[in-house]
Amino acid sequence: MNYKVKEVADLVGISIRTLHHYDELGLLSPAKITEAGYRLYSEEDLEQLQQILFFKELGFSLKNIKEIINSPNFDREEALLQQRKFLQEKKRRLENMIETLDKTIKYTRGEINMSDREKFEGFDFSKNPYEQEAREKWGDQAVDQANKKLEKLTAEGKKELGNEADEIYRNLAALKDKVSPASPEAQAAIKKWFDYLNSNFGDYSLQAFKGLGQMYVADERFTRNIDQYGDGLAKFMCKAMEFFTDSNTRT
């Protein structure tokens, strides 16, 4: 069954503008668009929207949600179990805060005494504890693995590795305004990047390679570093990596 935007908005209780915004971000794009331009959402789209809203309830930014659900390591059932765990922990924290609030009301009425420590039980102003665990599970594993390998290299080894990466980036930057990401030239250049990563940073599957490319545009840290070689290079590499993965998966 397909749903129009207004039907999804009414079903979920969010605004049409929010759904349009998710589409613009590439976070949730409808399965079909009619010839008249109407968005049609599938059951799978609704499932993804549910995932997005669970993460949003837990305090994740839209940028991080997109990064997580586009990760090659992302598994929907595992995510649901993890979200349940996070929400149970949030429930526990809220119950502690409600208990502190009830005590404070009684304290204000002069019915009980409260220590200064008791007045702040349940508060937690640390960085989102759920986000860090989720990013470690779905978003940053490839990056962390690469960093560990880099730490073991000598200064000369790091320099050689950097020069090799620099050459690949410059070659891709020279191509981005001349050919499409799917062109033979771009695909030959992106294969060098695929081989470079596998030779130096462990086993990158095709899907992991594709997911890494998606992170180049989803994570501003990647985009900023890569685009130093030329504006739009991160997006060009993302598309080239996606085409490379899909082409080699078919064969």
Side-chain angles (χ1 to χ4, degrees):
M1 180 176 179
N2 292 319
Y3 296 84
K4 294 180 180 178
V5 177
K6 187 177 187 308
E7 292 174 329
V8 175
D10 291 342
L11 175 69
V12 180
I14 59 179
S15 69
I16 293 175
R17 176 66 194 123
T18 295
L19 290 170
H20 287 173
H21 184 52
Y22 289 174
D23 190 6
E24 291 165 3
L25 293 175
L27 185 61
L28 178 69
S29 297
K32 298 178 183 178
I33 297 181
T34 67
E35 292 182 1
Y38 292 108
R39 294 170 170 86
L40 295 179
Y41 291 83
S42 66
E43 293 286 346
E44 289 75 16
D45 291 330
L46 292 184
E47 290 174 359
Q48 181 155 325
L49 177 57
Q50 184 194 50
Q51 292 264 273
I52 292 167
L53 296 178
F54 276 139
F55 277 125
K56 199 165 180 292
E57 176 64 30
L58 288 162
F60 288 74
S61 69
L62 294 180
K63 182 173 78 72
N64 286 335
I65 294 172
K66 180 179 177 180
E67 180 180 324
I68 288 170
I69 64 178
N70 285 334
S71 167
N73 301 314
F74 185 75
D75 178 271
R76 182 171 181 270
E77 182 177 352
E78 184 181 15
L80 290 170
L81 292 171
Q82 199 74 12
Q83 287 165 335
R84 187 181 190 281
K85 171 187 170 185
F86 293 159
L87 286 169
Q88 287 280 17
E89 174 61 20
K90 184 175 182 180
K91 176 185 176 183
R92 184 191 64 79
R93 290 177 57 207
L94 287 173
E95 287 175 344
N96 286 342
M97 290 190 70
I98 291 171
E99 184 178 347
T100 299
L101 187 60
D102 288 341
K103 285 182 179 179
T104 304
I105 292 171
K106 291 181 179 179
Y107 170 74
T108 302
R109 293 172 177 170
E111 297 174 4
I112 62 171
N113 291 321
M114 285 185 78
S115 67
D116 289 337
R117 181 177 295 276
E118 286 177 316
K119 293 174 184 176
F120 299 97
E121 286 180 352
F123 289 99
D124 185 354
F125 299 104
S126 63
K127 186 178 178 181
N128 188 338
Y130 321 116
E131 178 180 326
Q132 183 59 36
E133 184 172 345
R135 283 176 63 83
E136 288 172 359
K137 178 173 282 292
W138 295 304
D140 291 332
Q141 287 186 354
V143 180
D144 292 341
Q145 182 182 9
N147 287 337
K148 287 179 182 177
K149 294 214 169 188
L150 276 174
E151 289 172 1
K152 297 179 181 178
L153 290 175
T154 63
E156 186 63 28
K158 290 179 181 178
K159 184 178 179 181
E160 291 179 5
L161 208 60
N163 289 339
E164 188 177 349
D166 186 71
E167 183 179 350
I168 295 172
Y169 280 131
R170 291 186 186 282
N171 185 27
L172 284 161
L175 291 171
K176 72 178 177 65
D177 294 325
K178 299 177 181 178
V179 298
S180 77
S183 69
E185 297 91 338
Q187 287 301 293
I190 209 67
K191 184 180 184 302
K192 290 184 179 179
W193 185 235
F194 179 74
D195 293 340
Y196 170 84
L197 292 173
N198 276 284
S199 296
N200 298 291
F201 301 114
D203 296 326
Y204 265 81
S205 68
L206 286 168
Q207 289 303 318
F209 187 60
K210 181 178 180 179
L212 182 64
Q214 291 168 341
M215 287 178 67
Y216 289 171
V217 294
D219 190 321
E220 62 183 13
R221 296 169 300 176
F222 280 107
T223 305
R224 184 168 56 249
N225 289 333
I226 294 172
D227 280 3
Q228 289 179 27
Y229 292 87
D231 289 340
L233 179 57
K235 186 178 293 185
F236 180 84
M237 289 184 67
C238 174
K239 291 180 179 178
M241 292 161 79
E242 181 176 354
F243 187 84
F244 179 84
T245 296
D246 293 344
S247 298
N248 284 278
T249 300
R250 285 196 296 269
T251 58

